Amino acid sequence: MSRSIFYLLLCSLLMNSGCKTEGWITRERISINENWRFFRYDTGADKLIYDVRPDVTDRNDNVVADSRPTESVAVTASGEVLKNWILPSGNAFISDPAKRHQRPPGNPGEDFPFVQTDFSDLAWESVNLPHDWAIKGPFYTTPDAIVGGGMGRLPVHGVAWYRKRLDVPVNDKGKHIYLDIDGAMSYAMVWLNGHLVGGWPYGYNSFRLDLTPYIRPGGDNLLAIRLDNPPNSSRWYPGAGIYRNVWLTKVNPIHVAHWGTFITSRNVSASAATIDVAVQVENKSGNDQQIEIITDIFTDDKKDGKRKVTTIPASTATIKAGETYKAESTITLQNPLLWGPPPSQQPHLYTATTKIIIGGKTVDEYNTTFGIRSLVFDAEKGLLVNGEPIRFRGVNQHHDLGALGAAFSVRAAERQLEILRELGCNAIRLAHNPPTPELLDLTDRMGFLVIDEIFDNWERKKTPLDFHLIFPDWHEQDTRSFIRRDRNHPSVIAWSFGNEVGEQYTAEQGAALAKKLYDIVMEEDSTRPATASMNFAKPDMPFPQVMDILSLNYQGEGIRDAPAYQHLKGIKTSPLYPAFQSKFPGKLIFSSETASTLSTRGTYLFPVFDGTSAPVSEGVGGNAKLQHVSAYELYTAAFGASPDKVFASQDQHPYVAGEFVWSGFDYLGEPTPYYSARSAYSGIIDLAGFPKDRFYLYQARWRPEHKMAHILPHWTWPERTGDITPVHVFTAADEAELFLNDVSLGRKKRDDYEYRFRWDSVIYQPGVLRVMTWKKGEVWAADTVRTAGEAAQLQLAPDRNAIKADGKDLSFITLRVLDKNGMPVPRADHSIQFDISGPGEIVCTDNGDPADLVSFSSHERKAFSGLALVIVRSKAAGDIKITARAAGLQPADIIIHAQ
């Protein structure tokens, strides 16, 4: 008799006798990202809809970002919809049992071919997850396109299916098997072996479905997932498809619940910390069972490795069949390694390993990564982390990864965070939705502070088909699941349950809804403050009264209040930091969105505005024909402000805890001010990951001890000889002298509330522009720019020469156009052809130009302001050769080692 047959017979005997088989079953978490089949309807779609939607009569999404949200449109279902079969998927996150949903009888879709095991999908596309079906394009270029600039001009819309056959061994019989989806855009509905399992409408939330009733261990198992991504459903590029990781989790019937641990710390000091551990255990078996719970705590440090530091004493309980038991324990940890943001602190982590033991056998083992830190939100001192005041030097980040789209890549996200760390950024606000879990793993390990946000709108809509359609049915489930998933991440320091929501405008009614959401957040986690960002609500309104901390979008520095903005329509607000502080003297205030400065990297337009902040318009920082915004970093969105204005406002109000700039990187969609472009202009860093000049303005402020000086613009202007060409310098120094061809153009001292040095009357002559700087009388830093010659050669420079040969790792390779002396040619726009050989593939190319509508999948890309980017992925071990060619220029090649 084979071992597997013997095992099955033994299990059967034990089950029939009422005994448990858990001793033979362990927890498994298996990636099922590989080898999916994908189909998207070209026209039309099937009728397996979640719910009916209102008709969209106005598809124009070219609206100012701070436009007032409007009331929802009521729609009544006229035919069969699947909503009532999907709603029970969220029952675990509805606190009142009486409000949980009962699944109706029947099995919608059971006769549809795509859910059947015998349907042939060989003609479908073969894909691996994470997958974004829209990112390869092509871009829509017509004014009446079904997807306009707001959502990125890419084909995100439509209905699509994913199918995969699951290998479920026969010895999985008796296990509980769950499907865990980290994110699918959107209205996900899942069938297994022809049975509708459930789904989740909100495309940014992670969710779990129980496959156990429908799984066939040892048999043929077919998983089919339907997604429906409507146009006019987002203000930015939402991505399309199963764009995050997907897992099978296998456990025995008695196990730690989904996101079932919560570890917090209090009384934290360098000498000791009190650790509270809560563990929820589910009994999915048919019998009551006595269990033992033991948790070991280990250090989790890349440098020091894993080391056991303590064991929480075992607790025992009898857990009834079909119920969930919560065990709570407390222990004091001596000399803890504290988690905190660099450079003054280190992000030390721990892992808690919780074991469920029955009859001496471990039946489940669950790991929780956490950090030990104290947070104090002080109205005068700002945020204190472990007793140290830490000012927010933050940025807002949308979820796309530039040319890679919304399909998550750990390396791409890590690269973004590395660039932000070089900038001096220490904090991220996640705009305006839950991130993929791996991003928070990165912020934990790299020490970023995170404002974790869930909703961009509630009941009032910003686009015709956005989340307001499902908010009444799903807001509780989405909020609770979001917090339970993320609450153990030490990088998450506060929850945001709304961004610029329309309920700011509805007085007590809106505040009541805010309080309802706030209470849900507090029920799930009262250890962190909760807030919603405000661009309209004023101190005397009821809305801000709900918040623990006050997060202001643009109101601190004022909205459309400066002279250059007076002619604009929209919200007008004088600087409101003092008014909010006077009304709420005990609440910490910070700016959750500042600036919305706009620029196109390496592009300079003349004349230059002689003030400190102006809205982009034709001839004032803008060129509508080229769809470019001047990179003098003085020009903004209609509701925005330059960095100089923001810095001055914050410095004049030192109790403000800091800022989150809109935005860290350019992002797909919302292409203000040029709607026919593909991406935003507001990033400190462009879409390809190349720093704009603004990078150095923020670096000078956020890293004041970093010896740096940066001159702008470049100095290659053959057509401007004899013309006024202003020169600005960004540096943390307090004194600077500018030289043109070794002739001094003046030495300047920076006054209070000045953040750049300006020489606005420089007459252009080719040659060498040089700046020397001093700080407190000591030499600080220098910078030099030279007039470049004609383009002569190409250069390739990878971010890493060696990558993992795992089919996932990426190398980001910068192409530069150089003259014969190796100097960058700042206005080069040559068409570059990229080729590859060896065990790798070119995933995409980019150049950072928001107006470039060439498909990201193209291997040919024009240089923009002398730069382009090619992203290469490994396929197997070996040497990958990348070559770049352009007509009339010396080519370049490099080798990437996949190991």
Side-chain angles (χ1 to χ4, degrees), residues 99-119:
K99 294 182 179 179
R100 293 172 187 162
H101 300 279
Q102 296 298 315
R103 181 180 172 120
N107 182 29
E110 62 181 332
D111 296 328
F112 190 70
F114 294 176
V115 310
Q116 303 302 314
T117 57
D118 58 358
F119 173 78

Side-chain angles (χ1 to χ4, degrees), residues 707-718:
K707 293 186 175 183
M708 175 276 299
H710 175 77
I711 296 173
L712 67 135
H714 63 74
W715 210 240
T716 304
W717 300 101

Side-chain angles (χ1 to χ4, degrees), residues 153-173:
R153 300 198 167 276
L154 287 163
V156 294
H157 65 292
V159 173
W161 286 82
Y162 292 81
R163 283 169 47 99
K164 181 179 175 62
R165 296 191 182 273
L166 301 178
D167 180 15
V168 183
V170 67
N171 58 8
D172 279 345
K173 186 174 182 180

Side-chain angles (χ1 to χ4, degrees), residues 63-277:
V63 295
V64 179
D66 67 342
S67 299
R68 180 171 177 165
T70 57
E71 291 185 56
S72 60
V73 177
V75 179
T76 302
S78 57
E80 183 179 33
V81 297
L82 276 61
K83 180 173 77 170
N84 290 333
W85 283 266
I86 304 302
L87 283 168
S89 300
N91 278 347
F93 305 100
I94 298 175
S95 61
D96 183 353
K99 294 182 179 179
R100 293 172 187 162
H101 300 279
Q102 296 298 315
R103 181 180 172 120
N107 182 29
E110 62 181 332
D111 296 328
F112 190 70
F114 294 176
V115 310
Q116 303 302 314
T117 57
D118 58 358
F119 173 78
S120 176
D121 53 22
L122 293 179
W124 291 16
E125 182 182 357
S126 179
V127 300
N128 294 328
L129 308 181
H131 175 241
D132 181 347
W133 80 56
I135 192 59
K136 291 183 178 181
F139 288 99
Y140 293 110
T141 59
T142 59
D144 59 347
I146 189 169
V147 179
M151 291 175 67
R153 300 198 167 276
L154 287 163
V156 294
H157 65 292
V159 173
W161 286 82
Y162 292 81
R163 283 169 47 99
K164 181 179 175 62
R165 296 191 182 273
L166 301 178
D167 180 15
V168 183
V170 67
N171 58 8
D172 279 345
K173 186 174 182 180
K175 297 182 182 181
H176 275 251
I177 301 178
Y178 298 98
L179 175 69
D180 292 330
I181 297 180
D182 288 343
M185 187 65 66
S186 52
Y187 291 95
M189 298 191 290
V190 177
W191 284 259
L192 179 66
N193 299 328
H195 298 275
L196 178 58
V197 181
W200 204 279
Y202 192 31
Y204 295 104
N205 261 47
S206 301
F207 63 97
R208 164 174 283 187
L209 298 175
D210 189 355
L211 302 183
T212 310
Y214 314 109
I215 207 84
R216 301 169 184 162
D220 190 17
N221 289 276
L222 189 283
L223 190 64
I225 301 175
R226 182 190 189 273
L227 301 181
D228 184 358
N229 216 24
N232 296 100
S233 60
S234 177
R235 296 191 299 126
W236 56 84
Y237 179 75
I242 305 178
Y243 67 111
R244 296 178 181 169
N245 292 312
V246 178
W247 313 86
L248 280 187
T249 299
K250 303 178 182 181
V251 292
N252 86 68
I254 298 176
H255 55 269
V256 175
H258 192 212
W259 304 321
T261 59
F262 188 21
I263 301 178
T264 57
S265 50
R266 52 190 170 88
N267 305 322
V268 174
S269 69
S271 59
T274 303
I275 311 299
D276 297 317
V277 180

Side-chain angles (χ1 to χ4, degrees), residues 601 688 690 795-796 813-817 830 832 834 845-848 861-870:
R601 176 188 51 80
F690 300 138
Q795 179 194 69
L796 291 173
I813 303 167
T814 299
L815 175 132
R816 295 182 176 90
V817 182
H830 299 71
I832 313 297
F834 295 100
T845 62
D846 193 14
N847 57 17
R861 176 75 52 186
K862 290 186 71 173
F864 179 69
S865 295
L867 298 177
L869 178 76
V870 57

Side-chain angles (χ1 to χ4, degrees), residues 494-509:
W495 305 112
S496 176
F497 53 89
N499 171 68
E500 299 182 356
V501 295
E503 284 73 10
Q504 292 177 98
Y505 296 83
T506 58
E508 286 79 8
Q509 181 183 0

